[in-house]
Amino acid sequence: MKIQGKAFKVGRDIDTDIIIPAQYLTTFDAKELAKHCMEPLDPKFYDKVKDGGIIVAEENFGCGSSREHAPIALKGAGVGAVVAKSFARIFFRNAVNMGLPIFESTEAVDAIAAGDDVGIDSETGVIDDLTTGESFEVASFPDFLTEIIEAGGLIAYTRERVKSENGKNRK
Amino acid sequence: MSMTITEKIIAAHAGREKVQPGELVNVKIDLALSNDITAPGAIQEFAKTGVDEVFDRDKVVIVPDHFTPNRDIKSAEQAKMVREFAHAQKLTNYFEIGQMGIEHALLPELGLVLPGDLVIGADSHTCTYGGLGAFSTGMGSTDLAAAMATGETWLRVPSSIKIIIDGQLQPWVTGKDIILFIIGQIGVDGALYQAMEFEGTTIDSLSMDSRFSICNMAIEAGGKNGIIAADETTRSYVSERSTRAYTPFVSDGGAEYERVLKYSAEDIDLQVAFPHLPSNAKEINSVGDVEVDQVVIGSCTNGRIEDLRIAAKILADKKVASGIRLIIIPATQAIYKQAMNEGLFNIFIDAGGVVSTPTCGPCLGGHMGVLAAGERALATTNRNFVGRMGHKDSEVYLAGPAVAAATAVAGKIAKP
C-alpha cells in the first residue's frame, strides 16, 4: 500500500484523551468521531487533514485509554498513517486491528518537518520525505501481525480460524 | 529455566513449559471484560466473527460503569445495546445498576479474578488485577471481540522490571503515593510494553486496596501489566470471595529483569501529580499554593473502603472550604453500603461533601463533576491529561485520598 500526505507534527505523549476526548465516546461512527479528533490540541485538525495527512509524532503516541475510538477517529479524519518514535502498546494493537498504518522511526520523525509531503510504501517499509528527498527505512512487523493485517484485520483472521476449527466445544 | 511471575502465568495459559520476552504467543483467557463504552464496539465486531455464542457465558463480563447511570440519550442507547447483548448471550456476569460498581473494584470484590488468572479487558485499567497476583492487561474492543468468540488472545511476552520497595511508610502514605512516585521517577513510558513487578517489605505490608491502586496505574507508566505475587493477605482476601481453585505463581530466584529499581519507603512522601501527565509528580511539601475548585475522591484507583476511611478521618468534624465542591464516589455498592454503615457518609455530608452512586463519571469527564474552562480539580483518579475531566482549559491534579480530603478542607492543595 502506498500512502501520501502532508506531515502534521506533534510532540511526545499524545494521549487518547487528546486524540478523541472521552465525552464523545457515545458512538463508534468514524465520521462523527472524526469531527472531534485532536480537538484539545488543535480544533482545526479535522480541516487540516481531511484531504489526507500523516501524523509525525515523538515518543509514546496513543498513551492512555484502550478506546478503539482513537484509531477510528484518526482514520475517519483522513489520517493516512502515523509515524512515531514509539507507540503506547494498546494503541499499537488497536491501530493494527483497525487497519490504521503505523510506523516506528526515530530518524524519520527527526528529519520530517511540519507540512512536508510524505510518501510511505508499507510493503517495502520506506518512508520518503518528498519535500527534501530524504528516505528512511522502517522495521517490518513480526510475521504474525503481518498475517493478521493480510487477513484483513483481526476479525477476518478470527473468522477464518473459527471456520477452520469448525465446531469448537462450547459451554 | 527461571521465569518471572508474568512469564509463568503466560506460559501456563499458552500450554507451554516456558516463554521468553519478545515471543508472540496465543493464550487461553480466564475472563474477558468490557464496559458501556467499549462493549458496543466489541459486540459489533463479535457479530462479524461468524460465532453465535460467546466462548463461555461465565467468563465474559460486562460492567456498564463509565457513563452510567445513563448521563444522556446516546449513553442510554449504548447501555441498552450492551444490556440486550448480555441478556441474549445469557451472561452470568453482567451487572445492572444496583449491582454495578466500577469494574476494577467490582471484579476482585466478587472473587471473579484469582491469583494466577489471565484476564483481558477492553479498558486500560484492567491491569488493576495484578494486585491479586494475576496477569491482566487492557486491549481494544476488537481484540475483545475476538477473545469473546474464541476464548483466546495473542500476547507479546513482556520483559519485566522489578521494583523493590522496603521499609515503613510515612503516615497517610498509601499505594497511590507509591505509584505516583514511581511514575515520577521512570516517566509515562518508563515501562512501555513491560511488566512491572512489585515486591519488598513495604509491598508485603500493604492492604489489598493499596495493591490495587499501585497495579491500576501501571498503564500510566506505559506498562503492559503490574503484578504483586499473592501472599497471606491475598489468600485471605480471595478465600472470603471465591471457592474456585487457583494456582498462584511466584518469580524464580534467577528470573531475568530488564532492570531492577530499589526505593526506600522512608523516601516516599505524599505525592501530587501536576497537569498534564501522571509523571509530573511532586512531593506535597514542594507543591506551593494551588487553589482548587473541586475535589473528587473515587475511581478504580481510589474509590475503595481504605480510601474512604482515610478521607473520613481527615474530614471528621471539619468543613469543606467555602466554594469547594467535594464529590465522593464509592466504587461499588458493597463499598457504598460499608461506608454508610461505618458512619462515613455522615462525616462526608456534615463536612459539606456529596456522595454519589458508583460510576467512573468525572474521572474521564463523563458526568458527576465535569469541569468548566479555567477550573481546577484535585482528584484521586488516574489521569490528568489535557481535558480529562472536562474542558480542555481545565486542570486535574492527582493525589491519594489523604491529600484529597485535606485539600477539600483547605481549599488549596494541602497535606493532612
Side-chain angles (χ1 to χ4, degrees), chain B residues 144-362:
Chain B
L144 197 85
M148 291 198 306
T150 63
E152 296 177 7
T153 193
W154 68 269
L155 292 173
R156 183 174 172 277
V157 180
S159 58
S160 293
I161 302 179
K162 189 195 280 195
I163 298 158
I164 305 169
I165 306 168
D166 287 319
Q168 197 175 350
L169 289 171
Q170 299 183 44
W172 301 112
V173 173
T174 61
K176 179 63 162 290
D177 303 291
I178 294 174
I179 192 65
L180 285 178
F181 172 83
I182 292 166
I183 297 167
Q185 298 287 312
I186 69 175
V188 287
D189 61 352
L192 196 60
Y193 296 95
Q194 294 175 318
M196 297 172 79
E197 183 179 328
F198 303 92
E199 63 169 56
T201 58
T202 312
I203 303 296
D204 295 341
S205 72
L206 290 178
S207 65
M208 288 309 299
D209 287 2
S210 263
R211 295 181 192 191
F212 289 131
S213 297
I214 290 177
C215 293
N216 172 273
M217 289 189 70
I219 179 70
E220 310 316 332
K224 182 167 203 152
N225 65 311
I227 196 160
I228 298 170
D231 62 5
E232 201 41 53
T233 305
T234 324
R235 281 189 283 278
S236 133
Y237 179 89
V238 299
S239 69
E240 292 167 17
R241 294 166 161 82
S242 175
T243 52
R244 175 161 66 89
Y246 61 90
T247 313
F249 294 93
V250 291
S251 293
D252 293 322
E256 281 183 32
Y257 293 88
E258 192 81 18
R259 52 180 172 152
V260 177
L261 304 171
K262 273 187 160 184
Y263 302 107
S264 166
E266 287 78 10
D267 296 333
I268 304 176
D269 202 346
L270 292 165
Q271 304 283 312
V272 178
F274 277 47
H276 289 286
L277 286 175
S279 55
N280 292 337
K282 294 187 183 183
E283 289 187 355
I284 188 72
N285 290 325
S286 60
V287 163
D289 271 351
V290 183
E291 290 186 3
V292 302
D293 303 289
Q294 177 169 299
V295 172
V296 176
I297 300 175
S299 83
C300 58
T301 317
N302 286 112
R304 297 183 181 81
I305 194 70
E306 171 179 277
D307 307 308
L308 302 183
R309 285 178 183 151
I310 290 171
K313 244 184 219 170
I314 292 163
L315 289 164
D317 303 320
K318 300 265 175 44
K319 290 282 179 206
V320 169
S322 167
I324 305 297
R325 311 175 309 250
L326 170 63
I327 301 167
I328 297 172
I329 312 178
T332 66
Q333 290 290 84
I335 295 166
Y336 190 97
K337 195 172 163 191
Q338 190 176 357
M340 184 174 69
N341 290 340
E342 289 181 13
L344 308 188
F345 287 2
N346 285 337
I347 294 172
F348 298 151
I349 293 166
D350 289 344
V354 296
V355 181
S356 158
T357 194
T359 180
C360 304

Side-chain angles (χ1 to χ4, degrees), chain A residues 8-74:
Chain A
F8 186 93
K9 294 268 283 187
V10 295
R12 57 168 295 144
D13 306 321
I14 296 297
D15 61 71
T16 52
D17 281 281
I18 286 178
I19 299 171
I20 181 73
Q23 57 177 306
Y24 303 118
L25 303 183
T26 46
T27 179
F28 275 86
D29 184 72
K31 282 192 183 128
E32 196 55 41
L33 292 168
K35 287 183 210 157
H36 305 290
C37 189
M38 297 287 214
E39 194 173 84
L41 188 74
D42 183 349
K44 294 207 168 70
F45 177 78
Y46 179 66
D47 292 327
K48 289 181 184 168
V49 299
K50 68 176 191 287
D51 300 321
I54 290 174
I55 292 184
V56 178
E58 299 286 322
E59 295 88 351
N60 204 26
F61 186 85
C63 63
S65 95
S66 69
R67 65 189 70 157
E68 218 159 75
H69 313 68
I72 295 174
L74 289 167

Side-chain angles (χ1 to χ4, degrees), chain B residues 31 33 61-63 92-96 98-114 129 132 212 237-244 332-335:
Chain B
L31 223 55
L33 166 74
V61 182
I62 303 184
V63 188
T92 322
N93 295 304
Y94 165 75
F95 300 96
E96 194 48 84
Q99 287 80 47
M100 177 278 279
I102 296 176
E103 51 195 323
H104 308 309
L106 187 67
L107 269 53
E109 181 183 284
L110 296 175
L112 290 175
V113 184
L114 300 179
Y129 317 128
L132 288 159
F212 289 131
Y237 179 89
V238 299
S239 69
E240 292 167 17
R241 294 166 161 82
S242 175
T243 52
R244 175 161 66 89
T332 66
Q333 290 290 84
I335 295 166

Side-chain angles (χ1 to χ4, degrees), chain A residues 7 10 14 26 30-31 71 73 81 84 92 113 119 123 130 148 156 162:
Chain A
V10 295
I14 296 297
T26 46
K31 282 192 183 128
F92 182 94
E123 269 138 51
L130 303 169
I148 291 179
V162 170

